Amino acid sequence: MTSPEIATFSELALSPAVFKALEKTGYERPSPIQAKTIPLLLAGKDVIGQAQTGTGKTAAFALPVLSMLDLQSMQKTPQVLVLAPTRELAIQVAEAFQTYAAFIPGFNVLPIYGGADFRGQLNGLKRGTHVVVGTPGRVMDHMRRGTLDLSGLKTIVLDEADEMLRMGFIDDVQWVLEQAPKERQVALFSATMPPPIRKIATQHLRNPEHVTIEVKAMSAQLIRQRYWTVRGINKLDALTRILEVEPFTAMLIFVRTKTATVELADKLSARGFTASAINGDMSQQLRESTIDKLKAGKLEILVATDVAARGLDVDRITHVINYDIPYDVETYVHRIGRTGRAGREGDAILFVAPREMRMLGAIEKATRKKVELMELPSTDLINDRRTERFMEQITATLAEGGLTQFQELVSRYETEHNVPAVEIAAALAKLMQGDNPLFLEKQKPASKETYKERPPREYSDRPQREYKERPAREYQEDAEGSEPRERKPARERKEWTPETATEEGATRPARPRSSFTPDMVAPPEAGMERYRIDVGHEHEVRPANIVGAIANEADIDSKHIGKIQIFDDFSLVDLPEGMPTEIFDHLKKVWVAKRMMNLSRYEGAMGQGRSAEGKEPAKKRYDKKPFDGKPGDKKSFDKKGFGNKGFEKKGFEKKAFDGKPAGFKKPRKPKTAE
């Protein structure tokens, strides 16, 4: 095992291009998981890394993988496959690869996950990519279609393996590993090691090295920690609202890049705040001058990167804002440690996007302190604060004196134009305000029209999947003139009764399919709403499949998904109230267990549902009845998923439908009215 006493990334055998990218991002010292894992992966060994989220696992496998890429090869198929449990994590990992490969010419990484345009992913795979980061289900789709070729794979990474187990994807992971080349390197990362994960490690990893990292609790007891969810409003507007209301003396705002420090500082200055940037490109003299201004009270806000803020110790800093969330927990703790010094209290505010909520949980675990949800200041509150500041400016100006000349001018204007002094004062105040309005306008409440004006998310209908593992049984009548087939006599069955239950051949009758009644279903819990999906026992669906599909596609944590009840040909699932219309519409098109969910609100009776607006009834289900050779309405057949494609799946020949069923030796005569 490699010694963890590695002080800097320069001690690791990373490629020059990767090391240059690390210098640009400001990383100098590897985290414990990185210090132990990177040398092992560079040596070609299989690795099991057991560490919590937020310890720097992504860099632990991304940096050595990028350093080992064969960039001279003309190979278009991926050299690396990373499996992640959710599309949010897949996107985050792909972005990390792109950041660390900033100086690798021609590098390509492709995230593939459900809910995204299939054609775009197909085009990306055709063009060629070095690294594929995907969720298990969508990776399987591409492999079955033949659009994802793993024959040239050199490394497989299983990220958050225990999470994939919890979401019901572990069988998919097992299948992907079985199809991958036998000669490949495997890195498995998991916070816990339950038996199914250990089984995968035993079956698919060769003499793996075990790396275990325990996250130590970090002290942040004197710092009030809050977070705001980045959704629906511009980050800069949200930051401006916070700055207008929060009573702070000096503030440190952290961003990820040097360019962002300058851009954000300029935008804040344009909005009336005294802000300045500090980053690694600044000379030492300019850096010291900027910090001196902050200490002297000539500067309110400092926008900085992690590297530039090293060694920064200013007692006046009362607030730290993580405008961009850090990559790991240790960085977060270092950032917020700039406030709350010498026994004083401090405030830390974190901006979190929905796909970054996993990092928020890791921060709470490491600091052993709940991070409070922060509501943005209301328009009324901001206008009240602006009024207070306006009054304070008037009071301060009156106290300074030296107003004699201005009083004479106002009196003269009042006499010559016969205008009251109060109106003149109001005009001067407006003149001083300039183009910036004194008060914010109240926003109108959201309505259906408001939602229609927003650009819709681009979702394409998911293409029909082709599954060949279980071919449908073919039934055919005996040919005319042929000998009847010899059939085995059926086992004699006795009528089941409690008295004959123990006798041989007695069989309990099957529960009738129509035995479902609304009385069987308990009402949903408070705060939950019940939905129906068109997938049930006959489609071999499991609760884990439903949880995984909804959690991935609706940006909802699986712990918020309520009771799931599976019946013969449909299921009921309880979800939190207030589902947005766009998510409702998207979930209708999501596939689970090889079928489209066709989500609808459940009204308490079998088959009933309604649209998100509560007006349109759900589509009626197709009544299954013996086929009589009469073609139905073509339009309705297309809507039901029948027609040529549907018949092909059910064993019919693919040809123009002429009212005669395929698969029979002779066409039957259509029935006629007697």
Side-chain angles (χ1 to χ4, degrees):
M1 181 72 69
T2 304
S3 172
E5 302 300 326
I6 295 178
T8 64
F9 281 107
S10 60
E11 299 177 41
L12 301 171
L14 298 171
S15 69
V18 173
F19 184 71
K20 186 178 179 181
L22 283 173
E23 286 186 318
K24 180 185 177 184
T25 56
Y27 284 8
E28 291 182 0
R29 184 176 181 178
S31 67
I33 186 71
Q34 294 162 4
K36 291 184 177 182
T37 303
I38 291 175
L40 296 173
L41 291 176
L42 288 173
K45 296 183 179 181
D46 286 4
V47 173
I48 297 176
Q50 189 171 349
Q52 301 292 333
T53 300
T55 52
K57 294 198 306 294
T58 303
F61 62 76
L63 298 177
V65 159
L66 289 171
S67 297
M68 295 186 295
L69 283 179
D70 183 3
L71 300 172
Q72 305 303 321
S73 172
M74 299 300 291
Q75 174 183 331
K76 282 193 172 183
T77 58
Q79 299 179 33
V80 180
L81 173 65
V82 181
L83 292 179
T86 65
R87 64 177 182 177
E88 290 77 21
L89 184 57
I91 294 171
Q92 187 175 330
V93 171
E95 289 175 350
F97 267 99
Q98 201 68 57
T99 300
Y100 302 141
F103 297 100
I104 299 179
F107 171 78
N108 284 311
V109 58
L110 179 66
I112 58 175
Y113 48 85
D117 185 4
F118 211 95
R119 290 170 296 180
Q121 297 174 5
L122 287 175
N123 293 334
L125 290 169
K126 287 178 182 178
R127 286 193 300 267
T129 182
H130 297 96
V131 179
V132 167
V133 185
T135 52
R138 183 53 66 95
V139 168
M140 288 177 66
D141 286 350
H142 281 286
M143 291 175 66
R144 285 185 171 126
R145 291 169 176 270
T147 53
L148 176 57
D149 182 3
L150 300 184
S151 60
L153 205 65
K154 296 179 180 178
T155 305
I156 298 178
V157 178
L158 307 181
D159 195 11
E160 307 264 0
D162 54 346
E163 190 70 10
M164 287 192 278
L165 170 66
R166 189 178 67 84
M167 296 179 69
F169 298 146
I170 205 66
D171 291 339
D172 299 345
V173 173
Q174 183 92 352
W175 186 87
V176 172
L177 289 170
E178 290 170 354
Q179 311 307 312
K182 300 300 179 185
E183 296 298 322
R184 84 283 183 179
Q185 184 183 30
V186 181
L188 185 154
F189 291 90
S190 183
T192 58
M193 293 297 293
I197 303 299
R198 293 186 182 278
K199 182 179 178 182
I200 282 184
T202 303
Q203 291 179 346
H204 298 283
L205 275 71
R206 297 170 298 180
N207 302 319
E209 295 280 355
H210 290 256
V211 175
T212 303
I213 302 297
E214 295 182 2
V215 178
K216 297 179 181 179
M218 302 173 186
S219 178
Q221 298 305 312
L222 293 175
I223 301 173
R224 180 190 181 193
Q225 299 178 69
R226 291 172 288 170
Y227 76 94
W228 173 70
T229 306
V230 181
R231 182 181 290 169
I233 187 173
N234 184 278
K235 281 176 73 174
L236 179 60
D237 291 340
L239 177 61
T240 304
R241 282 178 174 246
I242 293 171
L243 294 178
E244 287 203 52
V245 173
E246 283 290 317
F248 68 93
T249 306
M251 180 178 291
L252 187 57
I253 301 177
F254 281 99
V255 294
R256 284 179 181 162
T257 64
K258 301 171 187 177
T259 305
T261 61
V262 178
E263 291 178 352
L264 185 57
D266 289 345
K267 290 175 181 178
L268 291 176
S269 297
R271 297 189 176 205
F273 301 99
T274 54
S276 182
I278 180 172
N279 57 56
D281 289 343
M282 298 174 64
S283 65
Q284 184 64 24
Q285 182 179 358
L286 182 57
R287 181 180 185 276
E288 291 177 357
S289 172
T290 304
I291 294 174
D292 288 341
K293 289 181 181 178
L294 186 69
K295 290 180 177 179
K298 298 178 180 178
L299 198 62
E300 290 179 299
I301 300 169
L302 201 59
V303 186
T305 57
D306 293 313
V307 176
R310 285 201 180 100
L312 182 64
D313 187 3
V314 180
D315 292 339
R316 291 184 65 248
I317 296 176
T318 56
H319 285 66
V320 170
I321 292 186
N322 289 274
Y323 192 75
D324 293 331
I325 195 169
Y327 289 110
D328 55 68
V329 173
E330 290 183 3
T331 301
Y332 171 81
V333 174
H334 286 311
R335 285 181 177 185
I336 67 174
R338 307 297 173 189
T339 184
R341 293 191 171 229
R344 290 186 294 272
E345 294 182 354
D347 281 88
I349 299 172
L350 176 66
F351 283 20
V352 186
R355 62 185 175 85
E356 296 166 338
M357 296 300 288
R358 194 182 304 271
M359 176 62 76
L360 178 64
I363 288 170
E364 290 181 332
K365 189 169 186 178
T367 59
R368 293 184 180 178
K369 191 173 183 180
K370 185 72 175 176
V371 181
E372 307 168 22
L373 176 62
M374 179 181 188
E375 295 293 337
L376 282 185
S378 66
T379 301
D380 289 339
L381 180 58
I382 291 174
N383 287 339
D384 288 344
R385 292 297 172 87
R386 289 186 178 185
T387 301
E388 291 175 8
R389 284 196 296 271
F390 182 76
M391 297 294 187
E392 290 172 359
Q393 288 176 334
I394 294 175
T395 303
T397 305
L398 289 171
E400 288 178 3
L403 302 176
T404 306
Q405 292 180 343
F406 296 101
Q407 290 172 342
E408 292 175 355
L409 288 173
V410 171
S411 298
R412 178 180 171 184
Y413 189 94
E414 182 181 16
T415 303
E416 293 179 357
H417 296 83
N418 194 26
V419 176
V422 66
E423 292 186 12
I424 300 173
L428 291 173
K430 184 179 180 181
L431 181 65
M432 180 190 71
Q433 196 67 27
D435 296 332
N436 297 322
L438 178 60
F439 299 117
L440 287 180
E441 293 184 5
K442 290 188 178 181
Q443 296 179 346
K444 296 179 180 179
S447 63
K448 294 180 181 178
E449 289 72 21
T450 306
Y451 286 113
K452 289 178 182 177
E453 291 171 1
R454 296 178 181 175
R457 294 174 68 180
E458 296 182 1
Y459 291 108
S460 62
D461 290 338
R462 191 166 182 172
Q464 193 79 5
R465 297 185 182 183
E466 296 179 5
Y467 290 89
K468 300 181 180 179
E469 297 93 330
R470 297 185 178 181
R473 296 180 182 177
E474 296 183 0
Y475 295 92
Q476 187 174 1
E477 293 183 355
D478 295 332
E480 210 174 296
S482 64
E483 292 294 328
R485 298 175 185 174
E486 185 177 337
R487 304 180 187 273
K488 294 181 180 180
R491 186 178 66 175
E492 183 180 352
R493 295 186 178 183
K494 300 178 181 179
E495 183 178 355
W496 185 91
T497 64
E499 292 75 17
T500 64
T502 58
E503 296 183 22
E504 185 179 355
T507 306
R508 181 188 289 272
R511 181 171 64 87
R513 296 177 68 86
S514 59
S515 60
F516 170 86
T517 64
D519 298 336
M520 295 170 57
V521 183
E525 296 179 359
M528 303 294 283
E529 200 167 6
R530 182 154 292 163
Y531 294 85
R532 172 198 167 108
I533 59 176
D534 289 352
V535 186
H537 284 306
E538 66 182 33
H539 311 115
E540 300 182 1
V541 73
R542 296 176 298 166
N545 303 137
I546 298 172
V547 170
I550 295 176
N552 267 339
E553 303 296 339
D555 285 339
I556 181 174
D557 195 301
S558 56
K559 67 183 180 182
H560 297 307
I561 298 176
K563 188 175 183 180
I564 295 176
Q565 301 167 84
I566 301 178
F567 299 94
D568 290 330
D569 58 353
F570 74 101
S571 300
L572 302 178
V573 56
D574 294 350
L575 298 173
E577 289 180 343
M579 181 189 296
T581 304
E582 59 267 23
I583 293 180
F584 180 92
D585 293 338
H586 173 54
L587 284 179
K588 289 181 181 179
K589 303 176 184 178
V590 171
W591 286 62
V592 61
K594 310 174 190 178
R595 284 178 60 86
M596 193 177 289
M597 283 174 36
N598 193 23
L599 185 80
S600 61
R601 300 189 192 278
Y602 180 70
E603 291 298 306
M606 186 175 181
Q608 290 184 358
R610 64 179 181 183
S611 65
E613 291 79 12
K615 296 179 180 179
E616 300 178 2
K619 295 179 180 179
K620 294 181 180 179
R621 296 184 57 78
Y622 181 74
D623 288 328
K624 296 180 180 179
K625 58 183 179 180
F627 191 83
D628 60 1
K630 295 180 180 180
D633 176 60
K634 184 178 186 298
K635 185 175 181 182
S636 64
F637 267 71
D638 290 340
K639 283 185 177 180
K640 304 296 181 185
F642 288 82
N644 286 340
K645 287 185 178 180
F647 285 133
E648 184 180 9
K649 286 190 73 174
K650 294 179 178 295
F652 289 90
E653 295 177 1
K654 188 175 182 179
K655 59 181 182 178
F657 190 78
D658 57 359
K660 301 175 182 179
F664 292 90
K665 292 294 181 180
K666 291 184 178 181
R668 296 178 180 175
K669 294 181 181 180
K671 296 179 181 179
T672 56
E674 295 181 356

